[in-house]
Amino acid sequence: MSTSSNLKRRIGAAAILGLAASVAATGTGFAATPPPSAVHATAVTAAAAPARSFHGELPAPTGPYAAGEEIIHLTDTSRPDPWVPSSGPRRLTVTMVYPAVPGTGTPAPYMTLAEAAGVVQRRNLPPSSGITPESLSGVTTHAFDGARPQPGKHPLVLLSPASENPRMTLTSLATDLASHGYVVALVGHTYEDSGETLADGQTPPCAICDHPETLDYDAVAASRARDESFVIDQLTHGNTAWHLAHLVDRHRIGTGGHSLGGAAAADTMIADPRVRAGVNIDGTFHPAPKPGQIDRPFLMLGHTPGGGDHYTDWEEAWTALGGFKKWLTVTGSDHFSFSDGDLLQGQAGFPTPPLDPERGIEITREYVTAFFDQSLKGIHSPLLDGPSPNNPEVLFRH
């Protein structure tokens, strides 16, 4: 692959929440996403059109439990913030999603008003789109604040979002995992997206988004891995960080991520032996693992750009992986079929890929849950054995 195409792969135009241009630094390809000029034209057209009404709703979880939710704020006093050292130690906002008793708690917002305002402002979304801070924060999540937790201990899964995307873009996956008996930590990587509301109420904007062509993505992925290991530390040593930390089974921990978050999942597995399984969802590795670095279960789930072509770093990673491994691609999908992005894009009246957005989320949930069930719970799933007539879009590359 030429230097030029490698650069395009890392800084191609993609969509935050699927609603406007952003830089998804680690997508396995961006052929299906519009270039900035096309997004600008769409925005201009929307500005001239009558105002839409936008109400987003994520799919309901499919498991037997409800999804409880609580926001926690953590400070890593052992290191300064890598992007804004003057801000002091690394501060993180994490959404904890956990198995809960149905019918308890109150509906949780998708994000804070300040976080939603950050998305709207950074993407220059016109009022005529109907996407306002109020409508975006009010997306129906099917998660419930203050819900009563299911008893017992549950595997922990950490999730990291795409470059420039806030943690909430993986809410559909998080709520479904929780409904199937997982505690999920949606990790917000401060200063790396349109804004994460911190403990002091501030929502700082992105500090590293303006010049993606100069960004060292290996360093960003490694920093995210340190964020994840710190979150694991906090959740497995008593309940001072989160009063429901007793729900976490410290011996069954997995990690996954979308795009750059997928690269971070691999880096976390390499750096932290406590993590027993990992998932890279449509992300370039930064860098690709070397033989012997990952000998635990790993799933690679991506779209099929260019009519089925794949990228050399996934081949390199596949060869290096030493444990149970699967490489799946989904026909008709694009980079944001695996997050909340395409679904909210369609609900806002924007174009979507050939694969129905709800179907993209359904496939992601089914295969990621099956993988963690097998890797962390010891429950074998036939879904991972090979092609399924119920999921003809899913291709087993290896």
Side-chain angles (χ1 to χ4, degrees), residues 225-285:
R226 287 191 288 274
D227 288 346
E228 292 196 27
S229 287
F230 171 67
V231 172
I232 293 171
D233 290 341
Q234 296 295 294
L235 294 176
T236 56
H237 290 85
N239 64 351
T240 56
W242 184 41
H243 70 105
L244 296 179
H246 62 273
L247 297 175
V248 172
D249 184 342
R250 62 191 299 175
H251 302 295
R252 294 187 292 170
I253 299 174
T255 181
H258 176 223
S259 197
L260 181 59
D267 281 17
T268 302
M269 287 198 72
I270 292 169
D272 196 329
R274 295 174 295 181
V275 181
R276 291 177 46 182
V279 179
N280 181 349
I281 303 174
D282 215 40
T284 299
F285 289 90

Side-chain angles (χ1 to χ4, degrees), residues 299-317:
L299 170 66
M300 304 191 314
L301 175 66
H303 78 288
T304 52
D309 295 336
H310 50 77
Y311 289 97
T312 55
D313 72 300
W314 276 41
E315 287 284 8
E316 184 181 352

Side-chain angles (χ1 to χ4, degrees), residues 22 57 90 118 182 190 195 206 222 234 278 281 312 321 357 369 397:
S22 106
E57 181 171 0
R90 182 67 163 160
Y182 292 87
T190 312
C206 189
Q234 296 295 294
I281 303 174
T312 55
L321 294 172
T369 300
R397 299 301 294 259

Side-chain angles (χ1 to χ4, degrees), residues 19 53-59 108-110 130-132 134-142 172 340 343-349 358:
L19 301 176
S53 175
F54 169 67
H55 174 71
E57 181 171 0
L58 306 181
Y110 190 49
I131 305 164
T132 64
E134 291 77 14
S135 64
L136 189 53
S137 68
V139 167
T140 299
T141 65
H142 300 285
S172 289
D340 301 344
L343 179 69
L344 295 180
Q345 173 172 305
Q347 291 174 348
E358 288 206 31

Side-chain angles (χ1 to χ4, degrees), residues 57-387:
E57 181 171 0
L58 306 181
T62 62
Y65 307 130
E69 179 178 304
E70 189 165 350
I71 309 298
I72 63 173
H73 301 281
L74 307 174
T75 300
D76 185 355
T77 57
S78 71
R79 62 181 176 126
D81 189 274
W83 316 124
V84 185
S86 61
S87 68
R90 182 67 163 160
R91 296 176 295 165
L92 300 173
T93 299
V94 181
T95 302
M96 301 303 305
V97 192
Y98 57 91
V101 176
T104 64
T106 57
Y110 190 49
M111 56 180 71
T112 68
L113 277 173
E115 288 164 341
V119 173
V120 171
Q121 179 179 9
R122 182 159 185 84
R123 306 307 156 202
N124 295 315
L125 296 171
S128 59
S129 70
I131 305 164
T132 64
E134 291 77 14
S135 64
L136 189 53
S137 68
V139 167
T140 299
T141 65
H142 300 285
F144 296 88
D145 284 329
R148 190 163 73 251
Q150 293 286 344
K153 290 190 175 296
H154 311 277
L156 170 67
V157 173
L158 295 94
L159 294 178
S160 178
S163 177
E164 293 199 28
N165 284 234
R167 68 192 189 281
M168 292 71 68
T169 53
L170 294 178
T171 297
S172 289
L173 178 57
T175 55
D176 201 59
L177 282 168
S179 78
H180 287 276
Y182 292 87
V183 173
V184 182
L186 279 172
V187 183
H189 302 284
T190 312
Y191 295 114
E192 296 182 27
D193 58 46
S194 52
E196 306 278 344
T197 300
L198 301 174
D200 61 4
Q202 299 299 306
T203 308
C206 189
I208 62 171
C209 296
D210 290 341
H211 297 285
E213 70 282 357
T214 65
L215 200 57
D216 180 351
Y217 287 108
D218 288 5
V220 180
S223 176
R224 287 189 173 203
R226 287 191 288 274
D227 288 346
E228 292 196 27
S229 287
F230 171 67
V231 172
I232 293 171
D233 290 341
Q234 296 295 294
L235 294 176
T236 56
H237 290 85
N239 64 351
T240 56
W242 184 41
H243 70 105
L244 296 179
H246 62 273
L247 297 175
V248 172
D249 184 342
R250 62 191 299 175
H251 302 295
R252 294 187 292 170
I253 299 174
T255 181
H258 176 223
S259 197
L260 181 59
D267 281 17
T268 302
M269 287 198 72
I270 292 169
D272 196 329
R274 295 174 295 181
V275 181
R276 291 177 46 182
V279 179
N280 181 349
I281 303 174
D282 215 40
T284 299
F285 289 90
H286 283 289
K290 302 213 173 341
Q293 288 186 315
I294 298 179
D295 57 1
R296 288 148 285 162
F298 202 87
L299 170 66
M300 304 191 314
L301 175 66
H303 78 288
T304 52
D309 295 336
H310 50 77
Y311 289 97
T312 55
D313 72 300
W314 276 41
E315 287 284 8
E316 184 181 352
W318 176 261
T319 301
L321 294 172
F324 173 83
K325 56 185 179 179
K326 292 292 177 180
W327 177 352
L328 313 178
T329 55
V330 182
T331 303
S333 61
D334 71 3
H335 189 54
F336 284 89
S337 294
F338 307 95
S339 71
D340 301 344
D342 282 346
L343 179 69
L344 295 180
Q345 173 172 305
Q347 291 174 348
F350 289 85
T352 59
L355 182 71
D356 180 82
E358 288 206 31
R359 182 69 178 135
I361 289 175
E362 180 181 12
I363 288 171
T364 304
R365 287 170 154 187
E366 284 188 9
Y367 282 87
V368 171
T369 300
F371 172 77
F372 282 129
D373 278 353
Q374 181 161 310
S375 303
L376 299 180
K377 295 182 177 181
I379 302 172
H380 173 70
S381 173
L383 268 184
L384 301 177
D385 292 341

